Amino acid sequence: ITFAQNPATLAALRAGLRERVARSPLFDAQRFAKNLYQAFLSMWQQAQSLASDVLNDSCRQAADFSPEAHSAELVNLFNQGQYAECEALARQLTQRAPNYGFGWNVLGVLYKQLGRIEEALVAMEQAAVLLPEDAEVLNNYGATLQNLHRSQAAEPYLRRAIALKPDYVEAYNNLAATLHELDRYSEAEACLHQAIALRPSYPEAWYNLGNTLKQQGRLEEAEQSLLQALALRPNWPSAYTMLLFCLNYGQHQDARTRLSHARQYGDLLTRMAERPYKDWRCDAVPKRLRVGLASPDLRTHPVGYFLESVLADLGHTGIELVAYPTFPHEDALTQRLKAHFVGWHSLVGLSDEEAA
């Protein structure tokens, strides 16, 4: 009301107001912009500090993580047959610590035990890269290459394992298997004699020596090696099978001796079948008779070629065939054989009870 009644006073007030506002800190644009910048800069620096703390915590946790602390647990899980738990732990450790060579080696051995041979090779190759001076790792990798019939690639790893550990019996045995596959039988034989000299109680070396001698036509010597293998491991079907093969083609044993060994083999298989299998999943009166063929020879092998010659005609009968291969690898003949079966189920890595 006062200013309304005194226009001159109001005019004088208005005249100086803009000047006073311009001089007020509140309207100091440069100062305001500078302070705002400092506020934003301070916020950014605090954020950076927080992120750095988080990163440092993560780095400290990573630095504190030691996969070696779990090595004993890995081995225990594997030895106790807890394969799923062992795989989960090994995969976790190798993901968190990709340079953990022992973890890769355990993972490879586990996959091989389970018949997952290709996965085993990948893991073992990684272990061999990380642990090039570890004889066990090189032996595992070389043996797996040999299992995949890559014997030329396997040989240098196995020889390196022996160079690192000259008394490594298993490496001599695996090198012998590699040389055998390369048809270098005399070299394989020398490796096996070395393995036996180091460990006379090693049945695998006696068995492989028998196989190498058999391939050279030295059947009587092969029989003696196989008998020694069976003396060390009496319940060994593979050794009995090869022994009977040698006896069948040899000329120095009479029929009574051959029959005795064949009966021993039959008794062994009977004992190994703990109980008769009765849970048959088929119709009581089937339209077609279902027959299962369990064999390691559904591939390039005399048995495989024989089967190929009869399976086509057998398919026109009242028989329905299901295959149960016990050998981990396939080839072109395997693919041709598959066409004659209604089912194909690998038994690799399974126990007799699991297969049943």
Side-chain angles (χ1 to χ4, degrees), residues 219 223 246-254 258:
L219 298 182
E223 290 171 22
C246 293
L247 290 171
N248 185 56
Y249 287 96
Q251 302 297 323
H252 54 282
Q253 297 287 5
D254 57 27
R258 299 175 190 177

Side-chain angles (χ1 to χ4, degrees), residues 75-130:
V75 173
N76 289 335
L77 288 171
F78 181 85
N79 290 338
Q80 293 169 9
Q82 297 177 264
Y83 297 143
E85 294 83 355
C86 183
E87 179 184 1
L89 179 58
R91 289 179 63 86
Q92 178 187 1
L93 295 176
T94 52
Q95 287 172 359
R96 292 190 64 183
N99 292 329
Y100 181 40
F102 182 79
W104 286 109
N105 187 51
V106 171
L107 197 58
V109 173
L110 172 64
Y111 285 149
K112 189 173 182 180
Q113 176 72 18
L114 296 174
R116 295 156 60 180
I117 195 75
E118 296 289 350
E119 293 174 89
L121 185 67
V122 172
M124 288 180 177
E125 181 178 16
Q126 185 67 17
V129 170
L130 294 169

